[in-house]
Amino acid sequence: MRVIAVDGPAGAGKSTIARLVSAKVGMPFLDTGAMYRGIAFAVLRDGVDQNDADAVGQLARLTELVLEDDALWVDGADATQSIRSAEINSVVSVIAAHSPVRAEMRDQQRLWISNHNGGVVEGRDIGTVVFPDAILKVFLTASPTVRANRRVEQSGGDAVHIAESIAQRDHLDSTRQDSPLMPAEDSVVIDTSEMSIDAVIDVIAQLFKDAESRQVQR
Ligand code: DC
């Protein structure tokens, strides 16, 4: 399957960059963070205990997520805006640590990619677990200050508060037992702190071209 995996912590520029890469290489874009956010949305909607792995796993299996372009529909309701709220931010890393939830999301992500014949997939465990055979794996990072400032520019809010929320999510995402946030052994790590978006896109597009020509030669 033709997959470009784009992993990394919150605020490293994954969404912006993965979207632009997808337009440049002509492959669909899948935001797997939005899927976890969709389950967090359903947890809050139904009043399910966010710490109950089995209950949240059951809800994940029953919830219909429809992702196309930038929109997310959860059981027929447009949740595109609501999944970006501070309330969802505080719940999503907790529910994303539950193995039954991750197993369901992994299955749905693989199905989505198979139905779309490949894609640019953004997340935390795409290169390590979901698509270990991706043609190209990039891991985007940036300094914590740069990441917090980018989120403030994107969505407003208080910089100190946002930095704390990002640090808390990073901690939960990288220390969980099941598929923690980390670069795959064969990923290319790109620190975007001092790079323009265009420069990052150019690097990734070139890496992809090289990776595809290596595949053809094999
Ligand atoms: O990329 P994001 O901020 O929208 O992701 C929201 C949360 O979902 C993040 O805290 C970690 C989790 N996540 C994950 O565990 N695995 C993924 N592949 C994508 C996101």
Side-chain angles (χ1 to χ4, degrees):
M1 202 49 75
R2 263 174 111 228
V3 168
I4 300 180
V6 181
D7 289 305
K14 294 189 306 292
S15 290
T16 309
I17 287 162
R19 275 193 179 86
L20 291 168
V21 168
S22 116
K24 183 150 184 160
V25 301
M27 281 155 70
F29 166 65
L30 176 62
D31 176 359
T32 63
M35 299 174 72
Y36 286 96
R37 287 171 181 273
I39 302 306
F41 173 89
V43 163
L44 292 173
R45 179 197 63 195
D46 292 0
V48 169
D49 177 2
Q50 57 176 288
N51 294 304
D52 185 335
D54 290 333
V56 183
Q58 163 101 343
L59 183 63
R61 290 189 291 276
L62 294 174
T63 302
E64 186 201 39
L65 299 177
V66 177
L67 258 157
E68 285 305 330
D69 301 320
D70 286 342
L72 174 71
W73 299 79
V74 180
D75 292 328
D78 184 356
T80 314
Q81 301 293 328
S82 355
I83 57 163
R84 304 290 160 192
S85 71
E87 202 181 6
I88 297 277
N89 282 345
S90 70
V91 172
V92 66
S93 287
V94 177
I95 65 100
H98 300 323
S99 291
V101 176
R102 302 203 69 79
E104 177 62 21
M105 293 300 100
R106 271 198 299 272
D107 287 351
Q108 292 194 20
Q109 289 154 16
R110 289 174 181 149
L111 185 64
W112 194 99
I113 282 298
S114 144
N115 288 339
H116 288 77
N117 271 315
V120 179
V121 187
E122 176 210 332
R124 302 289 191 288
D125 60 340
I126 307 306
T128 49
V129 177
V130 187
F131 295 106
D133 297 329
I135 296 179
L136 173 65
K137 301 176 185 180
V138 291
F139 191 90
L140 300 181
T141 60
S143 73
T145 319
V146 168
R147 294 196 280 128
N149 288 342
R150 282 182 186 158
R151 277 289 144 101
V152 174
E153 273 166 34
Q154 236 171 28
S155 333
D158 170 59
V160 174
H161 208 195
I162 288 179
E164 275 169 12
S165 152
I166 287 182
Q168 195 181 9
R169 272 195 295 148
D170 281 356
H171 177 72
L172 285 170
D173 294 342
S174 1
T175 55
R176 68 178 174 230
Q177 290 287 312
D178 190 338
S179 43
L181 166 69
M182 62 174 174
E185 266 181 22
D186 51 350
S187 70
V188 181
V189 179
I190 305 175
D191 186 335
T192 67
S193 305
E194 306 288 330
M195 289 174 80
S196 70
I197 290 172
D198 284 349
V200 181
I201 306 295
D202 287 348
V203 169
I204 297 176
Q206 187 60 48
L207 286 167
F208 181 55
K209 219 169 141 191
D210 296 347
E212 283 224 300
S213 59
R214 274 200 301 277
Q215 282 231 324
V216 172
Q217 283 161 15
R218 259 183 222 157

PDB file of all heavy atoms in Angstrom, residues 140-154:
ATOM      1  N   LEU A 140       8.153  14.275  12.671  1.00  0.00           N
ATOM      2  CA  LEU A 140       8.366  15.722  12.786  1.00  0.00           C
ATOM      3  C   LEU A 140       8.469  16.112  14.256  1.00  0.00           C
ATOM      4  O   LEU A 140       7.655  15.672  15.078  1.00  0.00           O
ATOM      5  CB  LEU A 140       7.199  16.479  12.145  1.00  0.00           C
ATOM      6  CG  LEU A 140       6.958  16.228  10.658  1.00  0.00           C
ATOM      7  CD1 LEU A 140       5.776  17.062  10.171  1.00  0.00           C
ATOM      8  CD2 LEU A 140       8.193  16.557   9.837  1.00  0.00           C
ATOM      9  N   THR A 141       9.462  16.927  14.577  1.00  0.00           N
ATOM     10  CA  THR A 141       9.585  17.447  15.936  1.00  0.00           C
ATOM     11  C   THR A 141       9.772  18.960  15.861  1.00  0.00           C
ATOM     12  O   THR A 141      10.008  19.509  14.786  1.00  0.00           O
ATOM     13  CB  THR A 141      10.824  16.881  16.676  1.00  0.00           C
ATOM     14  OG1 THR A 141      11.989  17.236  15.939  1.00  0.00           O
ATOM     15  CG2 THR A 141      10.753  15.397  16.834  1.00  0.00           C
ATOM     16  N   ALA A 142       9.679  19.616  17.003  1.00  0.00           N
ATOM     17  CA  ALA A 142      10.020  21.036  17.123  1.00  0.00           C
ATOM     18  C   ALA A 142      10.171  21.291  18.617  1.00  0.00           C
ATOM     19  O   ALA A 142       9.660  20.506  19.438  1.00  0.00           O
ATOM     20  CB  ALA A 142       8.927  21.922  16.528  1.00  0.00           C
ATOM     21  N   SER A 143      10.856  22.357  18.978  1.00  0.00           N
ATOM     22  CA  SER A 143      11.075  22.629  20.405  1.00  0.00           C
ATOM     23  C   SER A 143       9.714  22.900  21.067  1.00  0.00           C
ATOM     24  O   SER A 143       8.780  23.381  20.407  1.00  0.00           O
ATOM     25  CB  SER A 143      11.989  23.837  20.574  1.00  0.00           C
ATOM     26  OG  SER A 143      11.265  24.999  20.243  1.00  0.00           O
ATOM     27  N   PRO A 144       9.579  22.616  22.388  1.00  0.00           N
ATOM     28  CA  PRO A 144       8.303  22.823  23.073  1.00  0.00           C
ATOM     29  C   PRO A 144       7.783  24.260  22.934  1.00  0.00           C
ATOM     30  O   PRO A 144       6.581  24.468  22.738  1.00  0.00           O
ATOM     31  CB  PRO A 144       8.627  22.498  24.531  1.00  0.00           C
ATOM     32  CG  PRO A 144       9.796  21.573  24.465  1.00  0.00           C
ATOM     33  CD  PRO A 144      10.591  21.969  23.258  1.00  0.00           C
ATOM     34  N   THR A 145       8.664  25.251  22.985  1.00  0.00           N
ATOM     35  CA  THR A 145       8.216  26.647  22.879  1.00  0.00           C
ATOM     36  C   THR A 145       7.632  26.912  21.502  1.00  0.00           C
ATOM     37  O   THR A 145       6.560  27.519  21.366  1.00  0.00           O
ATOM     38  CB  THR A 145       9.418  27.604  23.095  1.00  0.00           C
ATOM     39  OG1 THR A 145      10.201  27.092  24.148  1.00  0.00           O
ATOM     40  CG2 THR A 145       8.980  29.015  23.368  1.00  0.00           C
ATOM     41  N   VAL A 146       8.333  26.447  20.469  1.00  0.00           N
ATOM     42  CA  VAL A 146       7.841  26.652  19.100  1.00  0.00           C
ATOM     43  C   VAL A 146       6.483  25.979  18.939  1.00  0.00           C
ATOM     44  O   VAL A 146       5.545  26.542  18.370  1.00  0.00           O
ATOM     45  CB  VAL A 146       8.863  26.098  18.072  1.00  0.00           C
ATOM     46  CG1 VAL A 146       8.263  26.015  16.683  1.00  0.00           C
ATOM     47  CG2 VAL A 146      10.127  26.933  18.067  1.00  0.00           C
ATOM     48  N   ARG A 147       6.350  24.769  19.488  1.00  0.00           N
ATOM     49  CA  ARG A 147       5.090  24.028  19.337  1.00  0.00           C
ATOM     50  C   ARG A 147       3.932  24.760  20.017  1.00  0.00           C
ATOM     51  O   ARG A 147       2.841  24.879  19.463  1.00  0.00           O
ATOM     52  CB  ARG A 147       5.257  22.609  19.877  1.00  0.00           C
ATOM     53  CG  ARG A 147       6.254  21.818  19.030  1.00  0.00           C
ATOM     54  CD  ARG A 147       6.160  20.343  19.268  1.00  0.00           C
ATOM     55  NE  ARG A 147       6.843  19.887  20.454  1.00  0.00           N
ATOM     56  CZ  ARG A 147       6.284  19.138  21.391  1.00  0.00           C
ATOM     57  NH1 ARG A 147       5.044  18.752  21.290  1.00  0.00           N
ATOM     58  NH2 ARG A 147       6.979  18.756  22.432  1.00  0.00           N
ATOM     59  N   ALA A 148       4.179  25.266  21.221  1.00  0.00           N
ATOM     60  CA  ALA A 148       3.114  25.984  21.937  1.00  0.00           C
ATOM     61  C   ALA A 148       2.744  27.258  21.183  1.00  0.00           C
ATOM     62  O   ALA A 148       1.552  27.567  21.003  1.00  0.00           O
ATOM     63  CB  ALA A 148       3.571  26.305  23.356  1.00  0.00           C
ATOM     64  N   ASN A 149       3.744  27.982  20.687  1.00  0.00           N
ATOM     65  CA  ASN A 149       3.461  29.229  19.962  1.00  0.00           C
ATOM     66  C   ASN A 149       2.656  28.974  18.698  1.00  0.00           C
ATOM     67  O   ASN A 149       1.763  29.751  18.346  1.00  0.00           O
ATOM     68  CB  ASN A 149       4.759  29.965  19.612  1.00  0.00           C
ATOM     69  CG  ASN A 149       5.390  30.562  20.852  1.00  0.00           C
ATOM     70  OD1 ASN A 149       4.729  30.717  21.884  1.00  0.00           O
ATOM     71  ND2 ASN A 149       6.666  30.877  20.781  1.00  0.00           N
ATOM     72  N   ARG A 150       2.952  27.869  18.027  1.00  0.00           N
ATOM     73  CA  ARG A 150       2.195  27.550  16.802  1.00  0.00           C
ATOM     74  C   ARG A 150       0.726  27.304  17.116  1.00  0.00           C
ATOM     75  O   ARG A 150      -0.160  27.730  16.388  1.00  0.00           O
ATOM     76  CB  ARG A 150       2.785  26.297  16.137  1.00  0.00           C
ATOM     77  CG  ARG A 150       4.054  26.594  15.376  1.00  0.00           C
ATOM     78  CD  ARG A 150       4.547  25.331  14.713  1.00  0.00           C
ATOM     79  NE  ARG A 150       5.838  25.541  14.087  1.00  0.00           N
ATOM     80  CZ  ARG A 150       6.693  24.576  13.802  1.00  0.00           C
ATOM     81  NH1 ARG A 150       6.400  23.322  14.102  1.00  0.00           N
ATOM     82  NH2 ARG A 150       7.839  24.835  13.220  1.00  0.00           N
ATOM     83  N   ARG A 151       0.476  26.580  18.214  1.00  0.00           N
ATOM     84  CA  ARG A 151      -0.920  26.308  18.589  1.00  0.00           C
ATOM     85  C   ARG A 151      -1.653  27.607  18.929  1.00  0.00           C
ATOM     86  O   ARG A 151      -2.826  27.769  18.594  1.00  0.00           O
ATOM     87  CB  ARG A 151      -0.981  25.348  19.786  1.00  0.00           C
ATOM     88  CG  ARG A 151      -0.846  23.886  19.400  1.00  0.00           C
ATOM     89  CD  ARG A 151      -2.093  23.392  18.691  1.00  0.00           C
ATOM     90  NE  ARG A 151      -1.782  22.429  17.644  1.00  0.00           N
ATOM     91  CZ  ARG A 151      -1.902  21.124  17.749  1.00  0.00           C
ATOM     92  NH1 ARG A 151      -2.334  20.595  18.856  1.00  0.00           N
ATOM     93  NH2 ARG A 151      -1.616  20.337  16.735  1.00  0.00           N
ATOM     94  N   VAL A 152      -0.952  28.542  19.600  1.00  0.00           N
ATOM     95  CA  VAL A 152      -1.560  29.826  19.955  1.00  0.00           C
ATOM     96  C   VAL A 152      -1.902  30.590  18.668  1.00  0.00           C
ATOM     97  O   VAL A 152      -3.003  31.131  18.535  1.00  0.00           O
ATOM     98  CB  VAL A 152      -0.617  30.662  20.855  1.00  0.00           C
ATOM     99  CG1 VAL A 152      -1.196  32.044  21.104  1.00  0.00           C
ATOM    100  CG2 VAL A 152      -0.382  29.948  22.175  1.00  0.00           C
ATOM    101  N   GLU A 153      -0.963  30.584  17.717  1.00  0.00           N
ATOM    102  CA  GLU A 153      -1.223  31.278  16.442  1.00  0.00           C
ATOM    103  C   GLU A 153      -2.421  30.660  15.725  1.00  0.00           C
ATOM    104  O   GLU A 153      -3.245  31.345  15.139  1.00  0.00           O
ATOM    105  CB  GLU A 153      -0.005  31.166  15.516  1.00  0.00           C
ATOM    106  CG  GLU A 153       1.012  32.279  15.744  1.00  0.00           C
ATOM    107  CD  GLU A 153       2.335  31.969  15.071  1.00  0.00           C
ATOM    108  OE1 GLU A 153       2.332  31.343  13.993  1.00  0.00           O
ATOM    109  OE2 GLU A 153       3.377  32.349  15.645  1.00  0.00           O
ATOM    110  N   GLN A 154      -2.510  29.325  15.784  1.00  0.00           N
ATOM    111  CA  GLN A 154      -3.576  28.592  15.093  1.00  0.00           C
ATOM    112  C   GLN A 154      -4.939  28.854  15.717  1.00  0.00           C
ATOM    113  O   GLN A 154      -5.892  29.201  15.043  1.00  0.00           O
ATOM    114  CB  GLN A 154      -3.295  27.092  15.235  1.00  0.00           C
ATOM    115  CG  GLN A 154      -3.199  26.329  13.944  1.00  0.00           C
ATOM    116  CD  GLN A 154      -2.687  24.914  14.255  1.00  0.00           C
ATOM    117  OE1 GLN A 154      -2.890  24.378  15.349  1.00  0.00           O
ATOM    118  NE2 GLN A 154      -2.035  24.312  13.283  1.00  0.00           N
TER     119      GLN A 154
END
